[in-house]
Amino acid sequence: MEKKYYLIEVHDGVEPFSQGPFETEDERDEIGRKIRTGMEEDDCLFWADVDERGVLSIGSYWAGFFLDSRASDVD
């Protein structure tokens, strides 16, 4: 099994939705930046990885991730 990358959107702090799988971390993060631009204040976005053994890891993006200079490159 290959490592897969996902996004978890939480709308209004209570409704989770998953996006993916994405083939690479960069692809996931690019889509995450696009999704984040349309989210409301109470919405959250988390990353999730499933490794080669099927182990799930979930985390939050660091505070400045969506303000990163690369975000301006995303249409």
Side-chain angles (χ1 to χ4, degrees):
M1 176 180 199
E2 290 183 26
K3 187 171 186 175
K4 296 292 182 184
Y5 304 90
Y6 296 84
L7 291 166
I8 300 171
E9 297 177 64
V10 181
H11 294 275
D12 297 323
V14 296
E15 296 181 54
F17 299 92
S18 65
Q19 299 278 341
F22 302 101
E23 294 298 318
T24 67
E25 185 175 351
D26 288 340
E27 177 187 11
R28 177 199 58 208
D29 293 346
E30 180 180 332
I31 298 297
R33 285 187 177 95
K34 290 178 182 178
I35 289 170
R36 184 67 187 132
T37 61
M39 296 179 88
E40 301 291 326
E41 184 177 339
D42 290 336
D43 297 342
C44 300
L45 185 65
F46 301 93
W47 58 262
D49 296 344
V50 177
D51 72 13
E52 297 81 3
R53 298 169 292 148
V55 176
L56 173 65
S57 299
I58 300 172
S60 58
Y61 285 99
W62 54 277
F65 179 81
F66 297 107
L67 301 175
D68 188 306
S69 62
R70 291 176 291 172
S72 63
D73 296 336
V74 178
D75 295 328

